[in-house]
């Protein structure tokens, strides 16, 4: 799975099974991910669970922390997801 936070506030990526899209915005040191949705191809059980978990995390997290080349999506102090940058703008 991966996400890309593109210029202009556009979010794209994959869940490992389906494509993702949505919007993102930074304000007051908070990361707002909105309108996150995916295509609807059939995913096997484990992949379907991973997809649901990822989409839930993207929708629920409101805070973030950047640690080197890693982006951590947070809920309070709890790390919900961690992404490693392969491209930096």
């Amino acid at each position: 799975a991966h996400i890309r936070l593109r210029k202009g506030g556009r979010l794209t990526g994959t869940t490992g099974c389906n494509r993702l899209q949505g919007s993102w915005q930074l304000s007051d040191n908070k990361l707002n991910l909105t309108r996150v949705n995916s295509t609807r191809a059939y995913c096997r059980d484990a992949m379907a669970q991973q997809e649901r978990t990822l989409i839930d995390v993207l929708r629920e997290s409101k805070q973030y922390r950047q640690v080197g080349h890693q982006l951590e999506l947070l809920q309070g102090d709890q790390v919900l997801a961690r992404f490693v940058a392969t491209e930096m703008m």
Side-chain angles (χ1 to χ4, degrees), residues 24-49:
W24 68 275
Q25 180 180 20
L26 285 178
S27 63
D28 297 327
N29 239 7
K30 295 196 186 290
L31 178 62
N32 295 311
L33 303 173
T34 57
R35 297 184 301 205
V36 176
N37 57 57
S38 69
T39 54
R40 301 279 186 213
Y42 172 77
C43 305
R44 295 197 179 268
D45 292 339
M47 191 61 68
Q49 179 59 45

Side-chain angles (χ1 to χ4, degrees), residues 11-88:
L11 177 146
T12 61
T14 70
T15 64
C17 181
N18 282 293
R19 289 185 306 250
L20 284 171
Q21 63 181 10
S23 300
W24 68 275
Q25 180 180 20
L26 285 178
S27 63
D28 297 327
N29 239 7
K30 295 196 186 290
L31 178 62
N32 295 311
L33 303 173
T34 57
R35 297 184 301 205
V36 176
N37 57 57
S38 69
T39 54
R40 301 279 186 213
Y42 172 77
C43 305
R44 295 197 179 268
D45 292 339
M47 191 61 68
Q49 179 59 45
Q50 173 181 303
E51 178 173 270
R52 282 190 299 273
T53 300
L54 176 60
I55 290 172
D56 288 347
V57 165
L58 293 175
R59 288 177 176 161
E60 293 171 12
S61 65
K62 299 296 180 204
Q63 299 165 300
Y64 76 99
R65 174 173 51 215
Q66 184 177 347
V67 180
H69 285 63
Q70 295 183 357
L71 173 68
E72 296 178 340
L73 300 182
L74 308 169
Q75 187 171 50
D77 290 334
Q78 181 184 6
V79 176
L80 300 177
R82 182 175 293 121
F83 298 92
V84 177
T86 57
E87 299 175 23
M88 297 288 287

